Amino acid sequence: MTRIRFISADGSREQIVDAAVDDRLLDVAQAHDQPLEGTCEGAMACSTCHVHLVGGDLDKLPAPSEEEEDMLDFAAGANRQSRLACQVKLTADIHSLDVKIPRTVVDNSR
Ligand code: FES
């Protein structure tokens, strides 16, 4: 199980959820109403699932594929903590992740 802490773009709100091994980060986020569109449903054609893995948590994940890196080049607000949530699969050795929603995502949940 992985405990995921979603942090809003402005840092004012947090949501902590548990996810299972083999869950995809995008699916977990959407199941908990996080504002990630995931328009292409994982085909690496949209970058609307872009997130920031903060607090050093990027190092818990395997390196992104070349295709993912290429798509991140098009993601607004991408930085060295960026990943595509559709490409992050949770594994048994990932016990927690801090996931920040980028400022470029429009959050209509308020
Ligand atoms: Fe489109 Fe991830 S859902 S790139």
Side-chain angles (χ1 to χ4, degrees):
M1 184 178 294
T2 304
R3 178 147 292 185
I4 300 176
R5 182 165 64 121
F6 290 107
I7 305 161
S8 64
D10 66 2
S12 68
R13 286 174 296 143
E14 292 185 359
Q15 181 184 32
I16 296 174
V17 304
D18 289 328
V21 170
D22 286 340
D23 278 354
R24 204 170 55 149
L25 183 57
L26 175 61
D27 298 328
V28 176
Q30 290 180 332
H32 293 89
D33 298 323
Q34 291 295 320
L36 296 181
E37 282 186 31
T39 307
C40 77
E41 298 180 0
M44 278 199 279
C46 72
S47 79
T48 60
C49 63
H50 170 216
V51 293
H52 294 151
L53 277 291
V54 297
D57 282 0
L58 193 68
D59 296 339
K60 296 177 179 176
L61 304 178
S65 66
E66 206 168 303
E67 285 173 293
E68 183 180 348
E69 285 188 343
D70 288 348
M71 186 49 61
L72 282 169
D73 287 342
F74 293 104
N79 63 27
R80 286 168 44 193
Q81 300 174 315
S82 293
R83 291 297 301 260
L84 297 178
C86 69
Q87 300 302 307
V88 175
K89 198 166 199 180
L90 302 174
T91 55
D93 59 332
I94 303 174
H95 302 295
S96 65
L97 279 181
D98 284 353
V99 178
K100 187 163 187 186
I101 306 300
R103 285 192 180 277
T104 50
V105 171
V106 176
D107 183 352
N108 294 319
S109 65
R110 289 189 192 211

